[in-house]
Tab-separated table of all heavy atoms in Angstrom:
chain	number	residue	atom	x	y	z
A	5	GLU	N	48.108	-79.892	-87.099
A	5	GLU	CA	49.299	-79.748	-86.280
A	5	GLU	C	50.267	-78.857	-87.047
A	5	GLU	O	50.728	-79.235	-88.132
A	5	GLU	CB	49.882	-81.089	-86.016
A	5	GLU	CG	51.082	-81.061	-85.001
A	5	GLU	CD	51.512	-82.372	-84.553
A	5	GLU	OE1	51.552	-83.290	-85.449
A	5	GLU	OE2	51.861	-82.611	-83.398
A	62	ARG	N	31.204	-79.660	-74.735
A	62	ARG	CA	31.105	-79.081	-76.138
A	62	ARG	C	32.472	-78.879	-76.743
A	62	ARG	O	32.678	-79.128	-77.927
A	62	ARG	CB	30.393	-77.720	-76.023
A	62	ARG	CG	28.870	-77.864	-75.856
A	62	ARG	CD	28.220	-76.560	-76.191
A	62	ARG	NE	28.604	-75.429	-75.332
A	62	ARG	CZ	28.053	-75.174	-74.141
A	62	ARG	NH1	27.039	-75.933	-73.707
A	62	ARG	NH2	28.464	-74.155	-73.430
A	82	VAL	N	41.532	-77.323	-75.602
A	82	VAL	CA	40.651	-77.853	-74.578
A	82	VAL	C	41.016	-77.331	-73.204
A	82	VAL	O	40.163	-76.879	-72.425
A	82	VAL	CB	40.695	-79.393	-74.587
A	82	VAL	CG1	39.862	-79.938	-73.430
A	82	VAL	CG2	40.133	-79.893	-75.898
A	115	ALA	N	35.851	-56.205	-42.425
A	115	ALA	CA	35.301	-55.215	-41.506
A	115	ALA	C	35.104	-55.860	-40.137
A	115	ALA	O	35.268	-55.253	-39.132
A	115	ALA	CB	33.943	-54.666	-42.043
A	135	ALA	N	45.765	-74.538	-39.777
A	135	ALA	CA	46.692	-73.592	-40.394
A	135	ALA	C	47.803	-73.198	-39.432
A	135	ALA	O	47.581	-73.205	-38.226
A	135	ALA	CB	45.942	-72.358	-40.821
A	192	GLY	N	57.486	-48.398	-20.391
A	192	GLY	CA	58.441	-47.959	-19.359
A	192	GLY	C	58.285	-48.756	-18.071
A	192	GLY	O	58.994	-48.445	-17.101
A	296	LEU	N	96.515	-38.159	-21.756
A	296	LEU	CA	96.653	-39.550	-21.447
A	296	LEU	C	95.572	-40.034	-20.441
A	296	LEU	O	95.359	-39.403	-19.417
A	296	LEU	CB	98.065	-39.828	-20.815
A	296	LEU	CG	98.470	-41.330	-20.700
A	296	LEU	CD1	98.532	-41.999	-22.046
A	296	LEU	CD2	99.840	-41.403	-20.006
A	318	THR	N	98.943	-47.811	-35.508
A	318	THR	CA	100.220	-48.040	-36.189
A	318	THR	C	100.067	-49.152	-37.220
A	318	THR	O	101.084	-49.622	-37.746
A	318	THR	CB	101.257	-48.410	-35.171
A	318	THR	OG1	100.829	-49.524	-34.339
A	318	THR	CG2	101.581	-47.243	-34.201
A	339	THR	N	102.009	-36.042	-41.598
A	339	THR	CA	101.343	-36.680	-42.762
A	339	THR	C	100.790	-35.620	-43.669
A	339	THR	O	100.894	-35.712	-44.902
A	339	THR	CB	100.282	-37.672	-42.288
A	339	THR	OG1	100.903	-38.657	-41.511
A	339	THR	CG2	99.533	-38.323	-43.450
A	355	GLY	N	106.427	-28.219	-35.674
A	355	GLY	CA	107.196	-28.210	-34.460
A	355	GLY	C	106.734	-29.372	-33.551
A	355	GLY	O	105.834	-30.140	-33.792
A	423	LEU	N	67.627	-34.493	-18.815
A	423	LEU	CA	66.657	-35.405	-19.403
A	423	LEU	C	65.832	-36.111	-18.389
A	423	LEU	O	64.883	-36.883	-18.766
A	423	LEU	CB	67.393	-36.441	-20.315
A	423	LEU	CG	68.032	-35.921	-21.546
A	423	LEU	CD1	68.937	-37.033	-22.174
A	423	LEU	CD2	67.029	-35.430	-22.561
A	468	LEU	N	69.991	-46.722	-30.317
A	468	LEU	CA	69.473	-48.086	-30.481
A	468	LEU	C	69.982	-48.718	-31.823
A	468	LEU	O	70.368	-49.894	-31.798
A	468	LEU	CB	67.923	-47.979	-30.549
A	468	LEU	CG	67.231	-47.442	-29.328
A	468	LEU	CD1	65.748	-47.523	-29.417
A	468	LEU	CD2	67.697	-48.174	-28.042
Side-chain angles (χ1 to χ4, degrees):
E5 188 172 39
R62 284 198 298 273
V82 173
L296 190 63
T318 55
T339 300
L423 292 171
L468 300 184

